[in-house]
Amino acid sequence: MIGLENELNRNTEEITGIQSTIENLIQEKKILEKEVDNLKNRCFTQQNFEERVAEIVSETLRAQQEHCQPQPAENETHLAGFDIANECRLEDMEQYSRRDCLLFFGLFEMEYEDCTEKVVQTAQAMGVNITAADVSISHRLHTRNRPKEEPRPIIAKFLRRSVKNEVFQSKHHLKNSLDHYNVYVHEQLTRARSRALYRMKKEGFRVNTNEARLLYTSDVTHGTINSLAELPSKLGWDHTKMKEIFGK
């Protein structure tokens, strides 16, 4: 009996030790999860910081332009005050700040989802082998005028532009994927560049993008728009059209 009692005591001590180990592991897991959340927040803050710097530079240049702009005479047209070259220069800077980002449309949305994991799975469906370490930050975008039943797009910023380009250039493989055939991947363009792309399509051009350049073709011509400043010379867009794409 004494031997059995001793054995039971040893077993009890072992069970107690195991329970203590499990509790310690749970605490460590909580600590690690908190550190991961903090890391994600720092990455998100860094992205916001970069975007804010670009916005501040743009706002500063606009302010300098307005300060130096001479007052238009009464007989000048309503086009006075719109500087195409300066607007395009500011837009180029804004587009440059988005050079490492892609938008993913059509990915099923759920509560407590991991957007980065969805991006990784989508890339792997294209045949591009990436991991979560290749993605700096990802999250859903709040978009206007989108039906509630449609999932919001995911924006992902990649750590390396070469990875972003490989993912984007492999997007055509999604049509052969059973799980991602209705998913579409686009580069993140500025509003002005998006308006220009939309207007070019309305005018009959077939337009694709590559590193934010607008590649256009038609039955009679083809070319590349590297900067919106090239639209007047290459497509013959006048001052009025340029104002429209800049929302003026």
Side-chain angles (χ1 to χ4, degrees):
M1 292 293 294
I2 295 176
L4 181 59
E5 184 177 349
N6 290 336
E7 184 68 21
L8 289 173
N9 289 336
R10 284 196 298 272
N11 290 338
T12 301
E13 290 175 358
E14 290 179 0
I15 292 173
T16 302
I18 292 173
Q19 289 177 336
S20 178
T21 301
I22 292 174
E23 290 176 356
N24 290 335
L25 289 174
I26 292 174
Q27 291 299 323
E28 291 178 2
K29 179 176 179 291
K30 291 180 178 179
I31 293 173
L32 288 173
E33 289 176 345
K34 185 175 182 181
E35 290 179 353
V36 170
D37 290 338
N38 290 336
L39 180 60
K40 287 183 177 179
N41 290 334
R42 286 198 297 272
C43 290
F44 184 71
T45 301
Q46 180 182 0
Q47 182 192 24
N48 286 348
F49 174 76
E50 293 174 356
E51 293 178 352
R52 183 54 185 155
V53 167
E55 291 176 1
I56 291 174
V57 172
S58 297
E59 291 171 0
T60 301
L61 290 175
R62 289 182 190 277
Q64 290 177 349
Q65 177 198 10
E66 292 174 358
H67 179 73
C68 298
Q69 181 102 23
Q71 293 296 324
E74 291 183 1
N75 60 348
E76 290 188 6
T77 69
H78 67 285
L79 298 178
F82 178 70
D83 186 339
I84 293 179
N86 190 61
E87 292 289 344
C88 291
R89 187 164 53 248
L90 295 175
E91 190 275 339
D92 285 338
M93 294 174 61
E94 183 182 354
Q95 185 61 64
Y96 185 78
S97 70
R98 307 180 182 202
R99 64 195 183 280
D100 299 324
C101 297
L102 289 177
L103 296 172
F104 294 79
F105 294 85
L107 288 172
F108 184 72
E109 186 171 355
M110 63 181 66
E111 193 174 7
Y112 306 119
E113 65 184 355
D114 187 338
C115 290
T116 296
E117 182 60 26
K118 288 181 178 290
V119 170
V120 170
Q121 291 175 355
T122 303
Q124 291 175 349
M126 304 177 194
V128 181
N129 188 23
I130 68 171
T131 67
D134 293 305
V135 182
S136 173
I137 189 67
S138 64
H139 58 86
R140 295 279 180 181
L141 283 180
H142 295 281
T143 56
R144 296 177 294 179
N145 303 324
R146 179 173 292 274
K148 292 184 178 180
E149 62 273 12
E150 289 188 13
R152 294 171 297 165
I154 291 178
I155 180 173
K157 182 176 184 180
F158 293 84
L159 287 175
R160 291 177 296 162
R161 197 176 313 168
S162 59
V163 175
K164 171 257 181 181
N165 289 339
E166 183 179 6
V167 172
F168 183 66
Q169 291 166 7
S170 302
K171 62 180 182 177
H172 60 279
H173 292 300
L174 289 176
K175 63 182 180 181
N176 299 321
S177 172
L178 294 177
D179 298 327
H180 297 84
Y181 66 91
N182 59 343
V183 175
Y184 302 92
V185 183
H186 299 285
E187 292 184 300
Q188 188 192 24
L189 303 180
T190 63
R191 287 188 177 181
R193 199 159 298 214
S194 295
R195 292 192 190 105
L197 184 150
Y198 177 73
R199 186 175 187 102
M200 290 167 69
K201 288 185 175 181
K202 285 186 65 176
E203 293 184 358
F205 291 101
R206 296 178 292 276
V207 188
N208 293 306
T209 69
N210 183 15
E211 295 193 51
R213 299 189 297 267
L214 305 180
L215 285 62
Y216 63 92
T217 59
S218 70
D219 295 336
V220 295
T221 186
H222 64 88
T224 301
I225 302 296
N226 298 290
S227 170
L228 298 187
E230 299 174 347
L231 289 170
S233 60
K234 291 187 175 181
L235 298 184
W237 286 16
D238 59 17
H239 215 88
T240 301
K241 285 185 179 180
M242 295 300 292
K243 287 190 68 174
E244 289 177 356
I245 67 170
F246 283 101
K248 301 297 183 180

